[in-house]
Amino acid sequence: METVRSPSKLSNSHLEAQKGPEGHMVTKRLQSELMQLMMSSPPGISAFPTSDSNILEWNGTITGPEDTHYENLTFRISLSFPGNYPYAAPTIKFVSPMWHPNVDLASGQICLDILKEKWSAVYNVQTILLSLQSLLGEPNNKSPLNPYAANLWDTNPKTYKQKVMEHYQEITD
Amino acid sequence: MNKQTRLKQVFKANKHLNLIDSKAWNIVWDYLNLDQYPLPPSKEIKIAFASLDPSSVFSAYSSAVHSHFLKNASPLLTHQSCDNDVCNLANTVNVVKVHYVQRWIALNGPPAHNQKLLDACSALIEVSLPSEIEQMTTDLYIHAIEARNPERARTVYSVFRECGLHTFSDSCLTSAVKHTVTSHVTNSYRKTWDSSAYDDLMYWIFNVVVSSLSYITDLKESELNAVNDLACDALAALRIEEIYDIVCKMPQSEPALNDLSATLRTPKLRLDLVNTFLSQSSISLLRAGIPTLEIICRYIATMEAFRRIEPRGVLLDRVARPIRNYLRERSDTVSLIVAGMLNREDSPISYISESIKKKQAYRDTGDDYNDPAWVPDPVDAAPDFSSSQMDIVGSLLNIFESNDVFIREISNCLASDLLKVREYDVNTLESQLKALRNRFSEAAMQSCNIMIWDVQESAATDAHIHQSSDDLSVFHSHIISRYFWPSLKEEPYRLPQFIEALQEQYGVRYSEYKPLRKLKWYGVGSVAISLELQDRTCAFNVTPLQASFILLFEDTAEGMTLDTISQKLGCTKRVAEGAASFWVKEGILTQNGTIYTVVETTQDDSDAVMEEDVEVEPKDEAQELRDSLGAFKPFISAMLTNLGRLPADRIHAFLSSLSSDENPYRSSKQELIKYLDMLVEEDFLEFDKGYKVRK
């Protein structure tokens, strides 16, 4: 077992972290996660760092799962990793407009427990993306960020789908 | 301050002033003048002193010493210590002490006054020593102990001692010993668990620490013991800190566990050990991401390790509880343990099947108070701690309160194994079962026994049925007692017609053999088939479903969709898909979109050879590019999917920055561009002012 670092020691800001020894750990971890993601290339999800100089910022792409309102639709997300990752959760947002009970339409913020209080260092980019993908088909309507969407999901699937398509923007360059 | 003024001060302070013979007083006071170098007193001075009241002189002298010290000696000491040399400082301290004390002692006054003056002096010196001197002295001692050259330390130690600075000096020496021992233990023994550190440490203590110490000071036996205890505690603290890793490294780390067992002397250390292990294991082991099997392996290692540390099992009892509670929540715990007990080849804990064979005596008689060697459980034992000695299997079974879950799982495993058995050969399974009888009661094993018996009985029945007719060919059956077997999971599907005919015929014969009984068929068991393809013949042992599935392809060269197949088999699409993926994996079928077709010839066909003949040169270059850059295709694809259109420059820069030891990127930009253009030709990418993934 490697030495377990106490998370409290790691509350550095991004820049510091990138230089310090912990920053090296973040870089290594993210590099190996990227490698793992590339090797397995799970269908419908994908992610990549936005620039070769900063591995803490990634873009991701999620394709809606089959037999859901989001089937065949593709959405862009942004992933931002803190300097003490994986001891703290990355910040993840939808960049594409997203009509979904647990996503704030305006800001793209996502309400998902594993990205907040249930975060654990065993999660990685791949599990996050898979969780997000399944969130599309199984929203948690108990704590919606978009109550209108939550309401429609239960009562009027047809209008729901219409709304999804209304806000959907295909990814262009 | 001149003599006169000082005298006035003293006069003011002293009530006995009027009684003092002023001449004798003057003589003595001249002698005691602190601005002079101390010389031995003359006879005259001694006589003068004898005529005076020693208490008055002493109290006058004490206050003179006090003010003189603060004015002169204090700054001197402070200034000295800035030179970073403890030896010089010790000399100065000595000079200061002599300066104030010697002239008084030479007067031969009452010994109580001497002692009082000495104490006052030591107190003044100690207060004047700046804070860093403590660290410096400690460092000097550390150096002395480690370098085995304690000459200077010895001098300093004895000076301080003579000057009455025992407490100060001893506390420095103690922290020096502590520091030396702790850093030696950490540096020499950290992560070295494959040999005993204890003996080595004791040798080092005796030969290095004790020998240096006894040169510096006279060691008493109690102090010797204290040094030994200190070493033990330091080693215990190190091993406690590493405990989880040590447990993980079993059995190579056994010497480290022996160390721990030898050094774990106090209840506090025992508590530390338990708490450290609990917190480390809850961080590293008891979490969602760890496979159940790994937790079971660690649980076994924990048991072995803590038994070694403390055979009585009190500590084990405390550390194992959380792991047991956690394992109870995992749904696959039982099946994994049973797989181990039944010695399944793919189970990494199959070695526990060895220990199963040993009879386990369930001897939990409680406390036997007639036993003269009886001792109470230690204070840290849990209230419900029982000292029964359980082996590994016992402890694994102990995870759950009742054995029922295991019995159920064992009969499930046995059922599926028995149904796969060919030729009714149950010997291996029977002997495995026999071993389990040591652990479970006969009543609990009853259904398992009946299942074995059923299969043996089926053999006789089957032989009889085959005797009376030979048109049943290779069709055999297991006749099972429904009441004792676990209910068989069955997805409905249709067996091929000729099999159904055989079943019917078999059933008729059976009813003739055993009147008033009827067979109800289940589509489980195993089928030996051999597939004749154009270029090869393959033999398989498969399930009846898989066999029925492949049989559908017997007469047709065309492919079939899953819909057609599931319709023909009369089963759900999901069931058909399971069978299909088996045959695709075996390389008998190939999936093209939704269509499954038979692979009549294996892949290395003549097409490839022809291609090679036609275009040797370009193929080589393309192949080379594929070899060197193929591994990066997923990277390129992910990069372009997530970042949009990118020029070759950016892609090249990205790949270079992501290059790692396992996956090095060595291509030049030109090679990359050639490869990217190849991908464009293959319609994987498109190019327009930058590359982009084609949708």
Side-chain angles (χ1 to χ4, degrees), chain A residues 1-4 31 34-35 38-39 41 46-53 55 59-61 76 120-123 170-171 173, chain B residues 191 244-245 280 283-284 287 289 631 634-635 638-645 650 653-654 657-658 660 662-663 692 695:
Chain A
M1 190 187 77
E2 295 295 324
T3 337
V4 178
Q31 263 169 356
L34 179 64
M35 207 60 80
M38 295 300 114
M39 291 309 141
S41 15
S46 137
F48 209 79
T50 50
S51 102
D52 50 343
S53 57
I55 199 159
N59 277 353
T61 313
R76 174 72 36 93
S120 146
V122 298
Y123 295 124
E170 206 174 329
I171 296 175
D173 296 334
Chain B
K191 293 200 185 285
Y244 181 76
D245 295 346
Q280 286 177 355
I283 290 172
S284 320
R287 52 196 312 162
F635 286 82
M639 197 185 302
L640 299 177
T641 310
N642 291 295
L643 308 180
R645 204 178 284 279
R650 284 286 303 281
F654 248 127
S657 78
L658 290 169
S660 64
E662 314 100 80
N663 204 1
K692 183 173 183 287
K695 292 237 167 81

Short mmCIF file of all heavy atoms in Angstrom, two decimals, chain A residues 1-4 31 34-35 38-39 41 46-53 55 59-61 76 120-123 170-171 173, chain B residues 191 244-245 280 283-284 287 289 631 634-635 638-645 650 653-654 657-658 660 662-663 692 695:
data_model
loop_
_atom_site.label_atom_id
_atom_site.label_comp_id
_atom_site.label_asym_id
_atom_site.label_seq_id
_atom_site.Cartn_x
_atom_site.Cartn_y
_atom_site.Cartn_z
N MET A 1 0.85 -1.20 0.00
CA MET A 1 0.00 0.00 0.00
C MET A 1 0.87 1.23 0.00
O MET A 1 1.85 1.31 0.71
CB MET A 1 -0.86 0.00 1.25
CG MET A 1 -1.92 1.04 1.22
SD MET A 1 -2.78 1.13 2.80
CE MET A 1 -1.61 1.99 3.80
N GLU A 2 0.48 2.20 -0.81
CA GLU A 2 1.19 3.47 -0.79
C GLU A 2 0.80 4.23 0.47
O GLU A 2 -0.23 3.96 1.07
CB GLU A 2 0.80 4.31 -2.02
CG GLU A 2 1.24 3.69 -3.34
CD GLU A 2 2.74 3.62 -3.48
OE1 GLU A 2 3.45 4.53 -3.02
OE2 GLU A 2 3.22 2.63 -4.05
N THR A 3 1.64 5.16 0.84
CA THR A 3 1.28 5.97 2.00
C THR A 3 -0.02 6.70 1.71
O THR A 3 -0.18 7.28 0.65
CB THR A 3 2.35 7.04 2.25
OG1 THR A 3 3.54 6.60 1.67
CG2 THR A 3 2.50 7.31 3.71
N VAL A 4 -0.91 6.65 2.64
CA VAL A 4 -2.17 7.34 2.42
C VAL A 4 -1.99 8.78 2.88
O VAL A 4 -1.65 9.05 4.02
CB VAL A 4 -3.29 6.68 3.23
CG1 VAL A 4 -4.58 7.45 3.03
CG2 VAL A 4 -3.45 5.26 2.79
N GLN A 31 -3.00 11.24 -15.92
CA GLN A 31 -2.41 10.61 -17.09
C GLN A 31 -2.80 9.14 -17.17
O GLN A 31 -3.15 8.64 -18.22
CB GLN A 31 -0.89 10.74 -17.05
CG GLN A 31 -0.40 11.91 -17.87
CD GLN A 31 1.06 12.22 -17.61
OE1 GLN A 31 1.69 11.59 -16.76
NE2 GLN A 31 1.59 13.18 -18.33
N LEU A 34 -6.38 8.79 -18.15
CA LEU A 34 -6.57 9.03 -19.57
C LEU A 34 -6.18 7.78 -20.35
O LEU A 34 -6.90 7.33 -21.25
CB LEU A 34 -5.69 10.23 -20.00
CG LEU A 34 -5.76 10.58 -21.48
CD1 LEU A 34 -7.15 11.04 -21.86
CD2 LEU A 34 -4.76 11.68 -21.82
N MET A 35 -5.04 7.20 -19.95
CA MET A 35 -4.54 5.99 -20.62
C MET A 35 -5.58 4.89 -20.53
O MET A 35 -5.93 4.25 -21.51
CB MET A 35 -3.25 5.57 -19.90
CG MET A 35 -2.27 4.81 -20.74
SD MET A 35 -1.74 5.76 -22.12
CE MET A 35 -0.53 6.79 -21.35
N MET A 38 -8.55 5.56 -22.71
CA MET A 38 -8.24 5.35 -24.12
C MET A 38 -8.21 3.87 -24.46
O MET A 38 -8.65 3.43 -25.50
CB MET A 38 -6.87 5.97 -24.47
CG MET A 38 -6.81 7.46 -24.35
SD MET A 38 -7.96 8.29 -25.43
CE MET A 38 -9.06 9.02 -24.27
N MET A 39 -7.64 3.08 -23.52
CA MET A 39 -7.49 1.66 -23.78
C MET A 39 -8.85 0.96 -23.80
O MET A 39 -9.09 0.07 -24.59
CB MET A 39 -6.60 1.00 -22.72
CG MET A 39 -5.16 1.44 -22.78
SD MET A 39 -4.54 1.25 -24.44
CE MET A 39 -3.53 2.68 -24.63
N SER A 41 -11.88 2.52 -24.20
CA SER A 41 -12.85 3.29 -24.98
C SER A 41 -14.28 2.76 -24.90
O SER A 41 -14.77 2.13 -25.82
CB SER A 41 -12.44 3.41 -26.45
OG SER A 41 -11.45 2.52 -26.79
N SER A 46 -16.62 9.77 -23.84
CA SER A 46 -15.25 10.05 -24.21
C SER A 46 -14.83 11.36 -23.56
O SER A 46 -15.67 12.19 -23.21
CB SER A 46 -15.18 10.09 -25.74
OG SER A 46 -14.41 11.15 -26.18
N ALA A 47 -13.53 11.52 -23.31
CA ALA A 47 -13.05 12.75 -22.68
C ALA A 47 -11.59 12.93 -23.02
O ALA A 47 -10.88 11.96 -23.31
CB ALA A 47 -13.23 12.69 -21.17
N PHE A 48 -11.12 14.19 -22.98
CA PHE A 48 -9.73 14.47 -23.32
C PHE A 48 -9.33 15.82 -22.75
O PHE A 48 -10.16 16.72 -22.65
CB PHE A 48 -9.56 14.49 -24.84
CG PHE A 48 -8.18 14.08 -25.27
CD1 PHE A 48 -7.84 12.74 -25.29
CD2 PHE A 48 -7.22 15.03 -25.61
CE1 PHE A 48 -6.57 12.35 -25.67
CE2 PHE A 48 -5.96 14.63 -25.98
CZ PHE A 48 -5.63 13.30 -26.02
N PRO A 49 -8.05 15.98 -22.33
CA PRO A 49 -7.62 17.27 -21.81
C PRO A 49 -7.75 18.36 -22.88
O PRO A 49 -7.57 18.08 -24.07
CB PRO A 49 -6.14 17.05 -21.46
CG PRO A 49 -5.99 15.58 -21.35
CD PRO A 49 -6.99 14.98 -22.25
N THR A 50 -8.04 19.59 -22.45
CA THR A 50 -8.26 20.64 -23.44
C THR A 50 -6.96 21.17 -24.01
O THR A 50 -6.94 21.70 -25.11
CB THR A 50 -9.02 21.83 -22.83
OG1 THR A 50 -8.34 22.19 -21.63
CG2 THR A 50 -10.44 21.49 -22.53
N SER A 51 -5.87 21.07 -23.25
CA SER A 51 -4.62 21.54 -23.82
C SER A 51 -3.48 20.68 -23.31
O SER A 51 -3.60 20.03 -22.28
CB SER A 51 -4.39 23.01 -23.46
OG SER A 51 -3.44 23.10 -22.42
N ASP A 52 -2.37 20.68 -24.05
CA ASP A 52 -1.27 19.81 -23.65
C ASP A 52 -0.48 20.41 -22.50
O ASP A 52 0.41 19.78 -21.96
CB ASP A 52 -0.36 19.49 -24.84
CG ASP A 52 0.06 20.74 -25.57
OD1 ASP A 52 -0.60 21.78 -25.36
OD2 ASP A 52 1.03 20.68 -26.35
N SER A 53 -0.81 21.63 -22.09
CA SER A 53 -0.03 22.24 -21.00
C SER A 53 -0.76 22.14 -19.66
O SER A 53 -0.17 22.30 -18.62
CB SER A 53 0.27 23.70 -21.33
OG SER A 53 -0.94 24.38 -21.54
N ILE A 55 -3.27 19.61 -17.63
CA ILE A 55 -4.03 18.36 -17.65
C ILE A 55 -5.22 18.42 -16.68
O ILE A 55 -6.00 17.49 -16.58
CB ILE A 55 -3.10 17.16 -17.34
CG1 ILE A 55 -3.74 15.86 -17.80
CG2 ILE A 55 -2.74 17.12 -15.88
CD1 ILE A 55 -2.80 14.74 -18.02
N ASN A 59 -12.29 18.25 -21.67
CA ASN A 59 -13.61 18.26 -22.30
C ASN A 59 -14.11 16.82 -22.37
O ASN A 59 -13.31 15.90 -22.52
CB ASN A 59 -13.54 18.82 -23.71
CG ASN A 59 -13.56 20.32 -23.71
OD1 ASN A 59 -13.77 20.93 -22.66
ND2 ASN A 59 -13.36 20.91 -24.86
N GLY A 60 -15.41 16.66 -22.31
CA GLY A 60 -15.96 15.31 -22.44
C GLY A 60 -17.16 15.31 -23.35
O GLY A 60 -17.74 16.36 -23.63
N THR A 61 -17.51 14.11 -23.83
CA THR A 61 -18.66 13.97 -24.70
C THR A 61 -19.48 12.78 -24.22
O THR A 61 -18.92 11.73 -23.93
CB THR A 61 -18.21 13.72 -26.15
OG1 THR A 61 -17.20 14.65 -26.46
CG2 THR A 61 -19.36 13.87 -27.11
N ARG A 76 -21.80 17.94 -24.90
CA ARG A 76 -20.44 18.28 -24.51
C ARG A 76 -20.44 18.67 -23.04
O ARG A 76 -21.36 19.35 -22.58
CB ARG A 76 -20.01 19.46 -25.39
CG ARG A 76 -18.70 20.13 -25.13
CD ARG A 76 -17.46 19.37 -25.49
NE ARG A 76 -17.44 18.52 -26.65
CZ ARG A 76 -17.05 18.88 -27.86
NH1 ARG A 76 -16.68 20.10 -28.11
NH2 ARG A 76 -17.01 18.02 -28.84
N SER A 120 -15.75 9.76 -3.73
CA SER A 120 -14.71 8.94 -3.13
C SER A 120 -13.57 8.83 -4.12
O SER A 120 -13.79 8.90 -5.34
CB SER A 120 -15.27 7.56 -2.81
OG SER A 120 -14.27 6.60 -2.99
N ALA A 121 -12.36 8.67 -3.60
CA ALA A 121 -11.18 8.64 -4.48
C ALA A 121 -11.17 7.42 -5.39
O ALA A 121 -10.35 7.35 -6.30
CB ALA A 121 -9.92 8.69 -3.65
N VAL A 122 -12.06 6.47 -5.17
CA VAL A 122 -12.04 5.30 -6.07
C VAL A 122 -12.74 5.61 -7.39
O VAL A 122 -12.58 4.89 -8.36
CB VAL A 122 -12.69 4.05 -5.44
CG1 VAL A 122 -11.96 3.63 -4.22
CG2 VAL A 122 -14.14 4.28 -5.15
N TYR A 123 -13.52 6.68 -7.43
CA TYR A 123 -14.14 7.03 -8.71
C TYR A 123 -13.09 7.58 -9.65
O TYR A 123 -12.07 8.12 -9.22
CB TYR A 123 -15.25 8.06 -8.50
CG TYR A 123 -16.41 7.54 -7.69
CD1 TYR A 123 -16.84 8.17 -6.54
CD2 TYR A 123 -17.09 6.39 -8.10
CE1 TYR A 123 -17.90 7.69 -5.81
CE2 TYR A 123 -18.14 5.90 -7.38
CZ TYR A 123 -18.55 6.54 -6.22
OH TYR A 123 -19.59 6.06 -5.51
N GLU A 170 -26.68 20.58 -31.63
CA GLU A 170 -25.71 19.61 -32.10
C GLU A 170 -24.30 20.19 -31.94
O GLU A 170 -24.12 21.41 -32.08
CB GLU A 170 -25.97 19.26 -33.56
CG GLU A 170 -25.46 17.88 -33.90
CD GLU A 170 -25.85 17.50 -35.32
OE1 GLU A 170 -26.90 17.95 -35.79
OE2 GLU A 170 -25.10 16.74 -35.92
N ILE A 171 -23.35 19.32 -31.62
CA ILE A 171 -21.99 19.82 -31.41
C ILE A 171 -21.36 20.20 -32.75
O ILE A 171 -21.37 19.41 -33.68
CB ILE A 171 -21.13 18.75 -30.71
CG1 ILE A 171 -21.69 18.48 -29.33
CG2 ILE A 171 -19.69 19.19 -30.64
CD1 ILE A 171 -21.00 17.36 -28.62
N ASP A 173 -17.90 22.54 -34.51
CA ASP A 173 -16.53 22.90 -34.08
C ASP A 173 -16.49 24.30 -33.53
O ASP A 173 -16.50 25.26 -34.21
CB ASP A 173 -15.58 22.77 -35.26
CG ASP A 173 -15.54 21.32 -35.68
OD1 ASP A 173 -15.80 20.47 -34.83
OD2 ASP A 173 -15.27 21.06 -36.88
N LYS B 191 9.87 -0.69 6.64
CA LYS B 191 9.57 -1.52 5.46
C LYS B 191 10.48 -2.73 5.30
O LYS B 191 10.49 -3.37 4.26
CB LYS B 191 9.59 -0.68 4.17
CG LYS B 191 8.46 0.33 4.12
CD LYS B 191 8.21 0.79 2.70
CE LYS B 191 7.16 1.88 2.66
NZ LYS B 191 5.81 1.38 2.86
N TYR B 244 -1.00 -2.22 8.67
CA TYR B 244 -1.85 -2.70 7.57
C TYR B 244 -1.00 -3.29 6.44
O TYR B 244 -1.29 -4.35 5.91
CB TYR B 244 -2.73 -1.58 7.06
CG TYR B 244 -3.65 -2.02 5.96
CD1 TYR B 244 -4.78 -2.78 6.24
CD2 TYR B 244 -3.37 -1.71 4.64
CE1 TYR B 244 -5.60 -3.22 5.24
CE2 TYR B 244 -4.20 -2.14 3.63
CZ TYR B 244 -5.32 -2.90 3.93
OH TYR B 244 -6.12 -3.35 2.92
N ASP B 245 0.08 -2.59 6.10
CA ASP B 245 0.94 -3.08 5.03
C ASP B 245 1.61 -4.39 5.42
O ASP B 245 1.81 -5.27 4.59
CB ASP B 245 2.03 -2.05 4.70
CG ASP B 245 1.42 -0.78 4.14
OD1 ASP B 245 0.24 -0.85 3.76
OD2 ASP B 245 2.12 0.23 4.08
N GLN B 280 -6.68 2.32 9.26
CA GLN B 280 -6.05 2.04 7.97
C GLN B 280 -6.90 1.12 7.13
O GLN B 280 -7.04 1.30 5.92
CB GLN B 280 -4.65 1.44 8.18
CG GLN B 280 -3.64 2.47 8.63
CD GLN B 280 -2.28 1.87 8.91
OE1 GLN B 280 -2.11 0.65 8.86
NE2 GLN B 280 -1.32 2.70 9.20
N ILE B 283 -9.82 2.85 5.61
CA ILE B 283 -9.47 3.71 4.47
C ILE B 283 -9.16 2.87 3.24
O ILE B 283 -9.61 3.15 2.14
CB ILE B 283 -8.24 4.58 4.82
CG1 ILE B 283 -8.61 5.63 5.85
CG2 ILE B 283 -7.70 5.26 3.58
CD1 ILE B 283 -7.43 6.40 6.39
N SER B 284 -8.39 1.79 3.44
CA SER B 284 -7.86 1.10 2.27
C SER B 284 -8.66 -0.13 1.87
O SER B 284 -8.52 -0.61 0.75
CB SER B 284 -6.42 0.64 2.54
OG SER B 284 -5.73 1.61 3.22
N ARG B 287 -14.20 -0.50 1.39
CA ARG B 287 -14.86 0.50 0.56
C ARG B 287 -15.36 -0.13 -0.72
O ARG B 287 -14.93 -1.21 -1.11
CB ARG B 287 -13.91 1.65 0.27
CG ARG B 287 -12.59 1.21 -0.28
CD ARG B 287 -11.58 2.29 -0.17
NE ARG B 287 -12.19 3.51 -0.67
CZ ARG B 287 -11.70 4.72 -0.41
NH1 ARG B 287 -10.65 4.83 0.34
NH2 ARG B 287 -12.27 5.78 -0.91
N GLY B 289 -14.94 0.18 -3.81
CA GLY B 289 -14.14 -0.16 -4.97
C GLY B 289 -13.31 -1.44 -4.83
O GLY B 289 -12.69 -1.86 -5.79
N ALA B 631 -1.57 2.48 -31.73
CA ALA B 631 -1.91 2.57 -30.31
C ALA B 631 -2.47 3.94 -29.97
O ALA B 631 -3.15 4.11 -28.97
CB ALA B 631 -0.67 2.30 -29.47
N PRO B 634 -7.00 5.64 -30.51
CA PRO B 634 -8.04 6.07 -29.56
C PRO B 634 -7.79 7.48 -29.02
O PRO B 634 -8.73 8.23 -28.82
CB PRO B 634 -7.92 5.06 -28.41
CG PRO B 634 -7.10 3.95 -28.90
CD PRO B 634 -6.34 4.40 -30.09
N PHE B 635 -6.50 7.84 -28.84
CA PHE B 635 -6.18 9.18 -28.36
C PHE B 635 -6.62 10.22 -29.39
O PHE B 635 -7.25 11.22 -29.06
CB PHE B 635 -4.67 9.33 -28.13
CG PHE B 635 -4.19 8.61 -26.92
CD1 PHE B 635 -3.92 7.26 -26.95
CD2 PHE B 635 -3.99 9.29 -25.73
CE1 PHE B 635 -3.47 6.59 -25.84
CE2 PHE B 635 -3.54 8.63 -24.60
CZ PHE B 635 -3.28 7.28 -24.65
N ALA B 638 -10.39 10.44 -29.44
CA ALA B 638 -10.95 11.13 -28.28
C ALA B 638 -10.63 12.62 -28.34
O ALA B 638 -11.45 13.46 -28.00
CB ALA B 638 -10.40 10.53 -26.99
N MET B 639 -9.42 12.93 -28.78
CA MET B 639 -8.98 14.32 -28.86
C MET B 639 -9.89 15.09 -29.81
O MET B 639 -10.41 16.16 -29.47
CB MET B 639 -7.55 14.31 -29.40
CG MET B 639 -6.77 15.56 -29.18
SD MET B 639 -5.18 15.44 -30.01
CE MET B 639 -4.44 13.99 -29.28
N LEU B 640 -10.12 14.52 -30.98
CA LEU B 640 -10.90 15.23 -31.99
C LEU B 640 -12.38 15.24 -31.63
O LEU B 640 -13.09 16.19 -31.93
CB LEU B 640 -10.67 14.61 -33.37
CG LEU B 640 -9.21 14.66 -33.84
CD1 LEU B 640 -9.05 13.98 -35.16
CD2 LEU B 640 -8.73 16.10 -33.91
N THR B 641 -12.85 14.18 -30.94
CA THR B 641 -14.25 14.16 -30.52
C THR B 641 -14.51 15.27 -29.52
O THR B 641 -15.54 15.93 -29.57
CB THR B 641 -14.58 12.81 -29.85
OG1 THR B 641 -14.12 11.77 -30.68
CG2 THR B 641 -16.07 12.66 -29.62
N ASN B 642 -13.58 15.48 -28.60
CA ASN B 642 -13.85 16.40 -27.50
C ASN B 642 -13.37 17.82 -27.75
O ASN B 642 -13.85 18.74 -27.11
CB ASN B 642 -13.23 15.86 -26.21
CG ASN B 642 -13.95 14.62 -25.74
OD1 ASN B 642 -15.11 14.69 -25.39
ND2 ASN B 642 -13.27 13.49 -25.80
N LEU B 643 -12.39 17.96 -28.61
CA LEU B 643 -11.85 19.30 -28.80
C LEU B 643 -12.21 19.87 -30.17
O LEU B 643 -11.82 20.99 -30.49
CB LEU B 643 -10.33 19.30 -28.62
CG LEU B 643 -9.84 18.66 -27.30
CD1 LEU B 643 -8.33 18.70 -27.23
CD2 LEU B 643 -10.44 19.37 -26.10
N GLY B 644 -12.89 19.08 -30.97
CA GLY B 644 -13.27 19.58 -32.30
C GLY B 644 -12.13 19.48 -33.28
O GLY B 644 -11.16 18.75 -33.08
N ARG B 645 -12.24 20.28 -34.35
CA ARG B 645 -11.27 20.23 -35.44
C ARG B 645 -9.90 20.70 -34.96
O ARG B 645 -9.79 21.72 -34.29
CB ARG B 645 -11.78 21.16 -36.53
CG ARG B 645 -11.31 20.88 -37.91
CD ARG B 645 -11.93 21.88 -38.87
NE ARG B 645 -13.34 21.59 -39.16
CZ ARG B 645 -13.72 20.68 -40.05
NH1 ARG B 645 -12.83 19.97 -40.72
NH2 ARG B 645 -15.00 20.45 -40.28
N ARG B 650 -1.12 20.59 -33.58
CA ARG B 650 -1.67 20.44 -32.22
C ARG B 650 -1.70 18.96 -31.83
O ARG B 650 -1.34 18.59 -30.71
CB ARG B 650 -3.08 21.02 -32.12
CG ARG B 650 -3.16 22.53 -32.05
CD ARG B 650 -2.73 23.10 -30.70
NE ARG B 650 -3.46 22.58 -29.53
CZ ARG B 650 -4.66 22.99 -29.16
NH1 ARG B 650 -5.28 23.90 -29.86
NH2 ARG B 650 -5.24 22.50 -28.08
N ALA B 653 1.70 17.84 -30.94
CA ALA B 653 2.14 18.37 -29.64
C ALA B 653 1.46 17.60 -28.50
O ALA B 653 2.10 17.23 -27.51
CB ALA B 653 1.80 19.85 -29.54
N PHE B 654 0.17 17.36 -28.67
CA PHE B 654 -0.58 16.63 -27.65
C PHE B 654 0.00 15.23 -27.41
O PHE B 654 0.28 14.84 -26.29
CB PHE B 654 -2.03 16.46 -28.11
CG PHE B 654 -3.00 17.25 -27.28
CD1 PHE B 654 -3.89 18.14 -27.88
CD2 PHE B 654 -3.03 17.11 -25.91
CE1 PHE B 654 -4.79 18.86 -27.13
CE2 PHE B 654 -3.93 17.83 -25.15
CZ PHE B 654 -4.81 18.71 -25.75
N SER B 657 3.21 15.21 -25.61
CA SER B 657 3.13 15.50 -24.17
C SER B 657 2.54 14.32 -23.40
O SER B 657 2.77 14.17 -22.21
CB SER B 657 2.30 16.75 -23.92
OG SER B 657 0.93 16.45 -24.02
N LEU B 658 1.77 13.48 -24.07
CA LEU B 658 1.14 12.36 -23.37
C LEU B 658 1.99 11.10 -23.42
O LEU B 658 1.62 10.08 -22.85
CB LEU B 658 -0.23 12.07 -23.97
CG LEU B 658 -1.28 13.15 -23.67
CD1 LEU B 658 -2.49 12.93 -24.50
CD2 LEU B 658 -1.61 13.17 -22.19
N SER B 660 4.33 8.20 -22.70
CA SER B 660 4.75 7.64 -21.40
C SER B 660 5.59 6.40 -21.64
O SER B 660 5.76 5.97 -22.78
CB SER B 660 3.52 7.28 -20.57
OG SER B 660 2.83 6.24 -21.23
N GLU B 662 5.04 3.28 -20.88
CA GLU B 662 4.33 2.10 -21.41
C GLU B 662 3.93 2.33 -22.86
O GLU B 662 3.76 1.41 -23.63
CB GLU B 662 3.07 1.77 -20.61
CG GLU B 662 3.21 1.78 -19.12
CD GLU B 662 2.68 3.06 -18.52
OE1 GLU B 662 1.46 3.18 -18.37
OE2 GLU B 662 3.49 3.94 -18.21
N ASN B 663 3.71 3.59 -23.17
CA ASN B 663 3.12 3.89 -24.47
C ASN B 663 3.88 5.06 -25.09
O ASN B 663 3.38 6.16 -25.17
CB ASN B 663 1.65 4.24 -24.25
CG ASN B 663 0.82 4.00 -25.48
OD1 ASN B 663 1.36 3.56 -26.50
ND2 ASN B 663 -0.45 4.31 -25.41
N LYS B 692 -10.89 16.00 -38.27
CA LYS B 692 -12.13 15.92 -37.51
C LYS B 692 -12.64 14.49 -37.66
O LYS B 692 -12.40 13.83 -38.68
CB LYS B 692 -13.14 16.89 -38.14
CG LYS B 692 -14.46 16.97 -37.41
CD LYS B 692 -15.29 18.10 -38.02
CE LYS B 692 -16.58 18.29 -37.31
NZ LYS B 692 -17.56 17.28 -37.56
N LYS B 695 -18.60 11.58 -38.76
CA LYS B 695 -19.74 11.03 -38.01
C LYS B 695 -20.31 9.81 -38.70
O LYS B 695 -20.40 9.79 -39.90
CB LYS B 695 -20.83 12.09 -37.90
CG LYS B 695 -20.39 13.25 -37.01
CD LYS B 695 -21.33 13.45 -35.85
CE LYS B 695 -20.72 14.38 -34.83
NZ LYS B 695 -20.86 15.78 -35.22
#
